[in-house]
Amino acid sequence: MKIYTIRDIAQMAGVSVTTVSRVLNDRPDVSRATQEKVRRVMAECHFVGNANARGLKQAESDLVAVIIRGRRNPFLNELAEAMLQCAQESRAAFVTEYIDERADEFSRALTLIGERRITGIIFVGSRIDARCAALAEVNIPMVFVTVSTLGTVMEKRASSVSIDDERMAREAVEALIRRGHRRVAVFGGDPEGEDSLALRARGAREVLRAHGLDLSRYVETRLTLSDAYEAALSYFRQSDADAAFCMSDTAAMGVMRALSDLGRRVPEDVSVLGVDGVDIGEYLTPRLSTIAQPVQELARQSVGVLEDMMERGAPARHVTVGAELVLRESVR
Amino acid sequence: MKIYTIRDIAQMAGVSVTTVSRVLNDRPDVSRATQEKVRRVMAECHFVGNANARGLKQAESDLVAVIIRGRRNPFLNELAEAMLQCAQESRAAFVTEYIDERADEFSRALTLIGERRITGIIFVGSRIDARCAALAEVNIPMVFVTVSTLGTVMEKRASSVSIDDERMAREAVEALIRRGHRRVAVFGGDPEGEDSLALRARGAREVLRAHGLDLSRYVETRLTLSDAYEAALSYFRQSDADAAFCMSDTAAMGVMRALSDLGRRVPEDVSVLGVDGVDIGEYLTPRLSTIAQPVQELARQSVGVLEDMMERGAPARHVTVGAELVLRESVR
DNA sequence: GTGAAAGCGCTAACAG
DNA sequence: CTGTTAGCGCTTTCAC
């Protein structure tokens, strides 16, 4: 199978490479006749332009990288899918880049800037921490989704689109308390960071305090099925908690399994509440209660904000979208 | 933030671009001293080579595309992750390319060949059908994972690595029958294709026949949570089936939820058996029985076979790896 | 061991 | 409306 270049096409169509390039880029200044002739030849040869050459030439081509933390994270994948949908209409081309949860997405971003000359970045599911320093000198539009950069070192540089994590955590725990739970366990990440998990921990603490309770039932764990499962297994062996607020649906599933293993029923003995609202949640038995993140909205806004920055040089903006507490069977 | 080119580095290090290029590619013919000097300058500038330029020049760079059908498919994602792991040691660079389940991965492959000059392809979770014709003229190494191309038009051209779908389906249904089930429903895709789902349907049919039963309880559906759920809901409303063999774990989850909605207990009233062995399965209640695909093995073999083809010009090979029937709580 | 120079395929002035 | 020309940043002969 021969791979044709723009030059081959030009020759076959009896025009110059420039003209072919024009047709390729839908430039208006080509006569109908020439255009059709060129298109016909391209179609016959199954011509596909070389992206490397194009990328090399157009230093300013709009290429945005969507960096997703965790290929196995269903929520982030739902979100990425929705973003790519929104990006269809964008003038820019979007490429997804998965990165291991333990890897450093910021240095990866730097590499991407160097090697592919990307002109925009969306960080999906990143944490804001010291590693951000790597981005200090970068001056290309970026937006963080699912985490707010407000009040962090990135505030001025990067936009963010997220739910109000603190408030939603408050609402979640409040709901649990209102339903008679006094011994609320919380499964989350490092409560001292600047990320969304820390905000949720803070929100949970506030509400507990307001009700004369505290965050002493905090279980720090990675939010994976197996880690949350193990954490819950050892925690509930010696705990009288009657509710668990888990900072991701995936973690909640691990916790539910552990409870089941320990002979505790959900929700009769322990209520379980997750975060994210992944589709699998409502297929579980019992159906998982959750704080559903507005995936479409998150996607739409993040792509929109990035475009504003890229096309109109808009300054960093911080958007908060509404999440929804969805009470299903896993909460008593 | 300035983006440095190899030329800048050369200038700063007081050498020629050729030398920098040599260092960049770990060529042996550079003196220790020069090498160190260049490396130091590159490190100081956080130099990252432009992949477009490199890709443009090296028409024969080993770039393989891993085309994955369905970003939301947990099994395929597990598999892709494992493959990328194996690919770390490979000389070739691997890039993942997700494609919608309804899109055409074959024409996408053609485009990738044209625009990124890829030199190898791994199709993850593809179906073999008429669309393959598009690949007829392509002569680059390809391997299909999870589906066998043996006996199809692609047999000579493309390698494949998969489980013995027909046999595993036989084993699955056999296990169900052995446990006293006579009314086995099967949830799968088009039973008349050339893909793995059709093979499974065939295997199921054989065993049923051998036991004086038939495939009349076949429910054709897409193997997603919602589609399988809807299909099962309407099917079980008017069916006396006492077991369901589902051709993916995801579909099995949808079916379990539907059964639960209809007041049928799993496994007391209906046994459910899936395929794939995704990690979430053992966290469900009841724990999902499944035909577990050997993810690591599938990954290792597919990458290995592709490398054999790329580096040694090996002919297409067809590898069958062993799957394992894992009986858990969802089967009586 | 090192450098000069010729492109890879494409786009974008600049002329005509 | 169309063509000529000069690179984008890198690798790779081919000399020295």
Side-chain angles (χ1 to χ4, degrees):
Chain A
M1 187 196 66
K2 173 155 174 45
I3 294 184
Y4 295 88
T5 72
I6 193 178
R7 188 122 95 224
D8 299 324
I9 304 296
Q11 199 157 29
M12 296 167 77
V15 297
S16 73
V17 290
T18 312
T19 303
V20 178
S21 174
R22 287 199 179 98
V23 174
L24 214 50
N25 294 287
D26 291 315
R27 289 281 145 67
D29 51 353
V30 182
S31 75
R32 291 278 294 149
T34 312
Q35 198 172 126
E36 273 169 21
K37 188 170 46 179
V38 173
R39 280 200 201 287
R40 189 149 33 74
V41 176
M42 293 203 297
E44 272 170 18
C45 303
H46 302 293
F47 173 79
V48 178
N50 183 323
N52 286 321
R54 164 186 273 249
L56 176 57
K57 185 65 193 179
Q58 298 188 284
E60 276 307 299
S61 80
D62 305 271
L63 217 207
V64 356
V66 177
I67 301 185
I68 306 158
R69 246 178 110 73
R71 192 183 295 274
R72 305 271 299 275
N73 186 317
F75 170 63
L76 262 25
N77 269 329
E78 272 188 37
L79 187 50
E81 184 109 316
M83 286 181 22
L84 260 21
Q85 209 69 42
C86 296
Q88 297 263 315
E89 294 145 31
S90 173
R91 200 159 50 78
F94 283 62
V95 295
T96 55
E97 179 77 19
Y98 284 86
I99 185 161
D100 189 277
E101 280 170 29
R102 283 148 303 200
D104 185 346
E105 67 269 37
F106 302 131
S107 66
R108 182 83 191 99
L110 252 23
T111 303
L112 248 16
I113 292 173
E115 70 181 24
R116 306 208 49 191
R117 297 292 191 263
I118 57 172
T119 48
I121 313 182
I122 298 185
F123 290 102
V124 184
S126 274
R127 278 194 320 243
I128 307 296
D129 58 26
R131 299 168 306 140
C132 282
L135 295 178
E137 306 219 3
V138 177
N139 218 2
I140 77 176
M142 346 184 222
V143 6
F144 285 77
V145 200
T146 71
V147 57
S148 175
T149 51
L150 247 186
T152 73
V153 288
M154 301 301 291
E155 175 169 348
K156 297 276 184 240
R157 270 223 170 62
S159 291
S160 58
V161 179
S162 67
I163 61 173
D164 183 336
D165 285 288
E166 191 168 338
R167 172 169 155 221
M168 290 318 296
R170 264 188 266 125
E171 233 175 81
V173 175
E174 181 81 48
L176 255 16
I177 292 175
R178 188 170 304 131
R179 280 159 187 260
H181 296 294
R182 303 280 299 172
R183 305 187 301 275
V184 181
V186 176
F187 288 78
D190 175 11
E192 303 303 335
E194 289 196 276
D195 62 2
S196 49
L197 300 190
L199 285 175
R200 292 175 194 170
R202 204 170 310 162
R205 180 190 288 122
E206 276 173 39
V207 173
L208 289 168
R209 286 234 176 104
H211 288 270
L213 305 169
D214 62 29
L215 201 55
S216 58
R217 292 184 167 82
Y218 195 84
V219 183
E220 190 174 334
T221 174
R222 283 185 62 207
L223 303 181
T224 64
L225 274 177
S226 57
D227 286 318
Y229 170 77
E230 294 296 344
L233 205 56
S234 76
Y235 177 74
F236 277 105
R237 245 193 258 287
Q238 44 175 39
S239 168
D240 62 345
D242 60 1
F245 170 48
C246 309
M247 295 194 189
S248 86
D249 288 342
T250 301
M253 292 180 59
V255 170
M256 287 213 286
R257 181 66 255 177
L259 286 168
S260 190
D261 284 2
L262 293 170
R264 312 274 253 280
R265 290 161 306 168
V266 177
E268 294 84 351
D269 301 324
V270 182
S271 283
V272 175
L273 179 54
V275 177
D276 284 347
V278 297
D279 58 5
I280 214 169
E282 55 182 321
Y283 289 86
L284 300 178
T285 305
R287 288 185 176 83
L288 183 61
S289 299
T290 191
I291 292 177
Q293 304 215 39
V295 173
Q296 293 303 327
E297 180 77 0
L298 244 15
R300 211 171 52 73
Q301 291 278 3
S302 55
V303 171
V305 168
L306 185 73
E307 283 174 337
D308 272 2
M309 296 175 82
M310 289 176 63
E311 293 171 15
R312 284 176 279 289
R317 201 138 51 89
H318 303 277
V319 181
T320 303
V321 298
E324 188 189 359
L325 178 62
V326 180
L327 259 8
R328 291 192 283 234
E329 302 165 355
S330 70
V331 166
R332 186 182 69 193
Chain B
M1 186 195 67
K2 173 155 174 43
I3 293 183
Y4 296 89
T5 72
I6 193 178
R7 187 125 92 225
D8 300 324
I9 304 297
Q11 198 157 28
M12 296 167 76
V15 298
S16 73
V17 290
T18 312
T19 303
V20 177
S21 174
R22 287 198 179 99
V23 173
L24 215 50
N25 294 286
D26 291 316
R27 288 282 145 66
D29 52 351
V30 182
S31 74
R32 292 277 295 149
T34 312
Q35 198 171 128
E36 273 170 21
K37 187 170 47 179
V38 173
R39 279 199 202 289
R40 189 149 32 74
V41 176
M42 292 201 299
E44 273 169 17
C45 305
H46 303 293
F47 173 79
V48 178
N50 182 323
N52 287 320
R54 166 185 273 248
L56 177 56
K57 186 67 192 178
Q58 298 184 207
E60 275 308 299
S61 79
D62 305 89
L63 216 207
V64 356
V66 178
I67 301 184
I68 305 158
R69 246 179 110 74
R71 193 183 295 273
R72 307 272 299 275
N73 185 319
F75 170 64
L76 263 25
N77 269 328
E78 274 188 36
L79 188 51
E81 184 110 316
M83 287 181 22
L84 260 22
Q85 210 68 42
C86 295
Q88 297 263 316
E89 293 145 31
S90 173
R91 199 158 51 77
F94 283 61
V95 294
T96 55
E97 180 76 18
Y98 284 86
I99 183 159
D100 190 275
E101 281 171 27
R102 283 147 303 200
D104 185 345
E105 67 269 38
F106 302 131
S107 65
R108 182 82 192 101
L110 252 22
T111 303
L112 248 16
I113 292 173
E115 70 181 23
R116 306 209 45 191
R117 297 293 191 263
I118 57 172
T119 50
I121 312 182
I122 298 185
F123 290 102
V124 185
S126 274
R127 278 195 320 244
I128 307 296
D129 58 27
R131 299 167 306 140
C132 283
L135 294 177
E137 306 218 2
V138 177
N139 218 2
I140 77 176
M142 347 184 221
V143 6
F144 285 77
V145 201
T146 70
V147 57
S148 174
T149 50
L150 247 185
T152 73
V153 288
M154 301 302 291
E155 174 169 349
K156 297 279 186 235
R157 272 220 169 64
S159 292
S160 57
V161 179
S162 67
I163 62 173
D164 184 336
D165 285 288
E166 191 168 339
R167 175 170 153 221
M168 290 317 296
R170 264 189 266 126
E171 233 175 81
V173 175
E174 182 81 47
L176 255 14
I177 293 176
R178 188 169 304 129
R179 279 158 189 262
H181 295 293
R182 303 281 298 172
R183 304 186 303 275
V184 181
V186 177
F187 288 78
D190 175 11
E192 304 303 334
E194 289 196 275
D195 62 1
S196 49
L197 299 190
L199 286 174
R200 291 173 195 170
R202 204 170 309 162
R205 180 191 288 123
E206 276 173 39
V207 173
L208 288 168
R209 286 235 176 104
H211 287 270
L213 305 169
D214 61 29
L215 200 55
S216 58
R217 293 184 168 81
Y218 195 83
V219 183
E220 190 174 336
T221 174
R222 283 186 62 207
L223 303 181
T224 63
L225 274 178
S226 57
D227 286 320
Y229 170 79
E230 293 297 344
L233 205 55
S234 76
Y235 177 74
F236 277 105
R237 245 193 258 285
Q238 44 175 38
S239 168
D240 60 346
D242 60 1
F245 169 49
C246 309
M247 294 194 189
S248 86
D249 288 342
T250 301
M253 293 181 58
V255 170
M256 287 214 287
R257 180 68 254 178
L259 286 167
S260 190
D261 283 2
L262 293 170
R264 313 275 253 280
R265 291 161 305 168
V266 177
E268 294 83 349
D269 302 323
V270 181
S271 283
V272 175
L273 179 54
V275 177
D276 285 346
V278 297
D279 57 5
I280 214 169
E282 54 182 321
Y283 289 87
L284 300 178
T285 304
R287 288 185 175 83
L288 182 61
S289 299
T290 192
I291 292 177
Q293 303 215 39
V295 174
Q296 293 302 328
E297 180 77 359
L298 245 14
R300 212 172 52 73
Q301 291 278 3
S302 55
V303 172
V305 168
L306 185 73
E307 283 174 337
D308 272 3
M309 296 175 82
M310 289 176 64
E311 292 171 16
R312 284 176 280 289
R317 200 139 50 92
H318 304 278
V319 181
T320 304
V321 298
E324 188 189 1
L325 178 62
V326 180
L327 258 9
R328 292 193 282 235
E329 301 164 355
S330 71
V331 166
R332 184 180 73 194

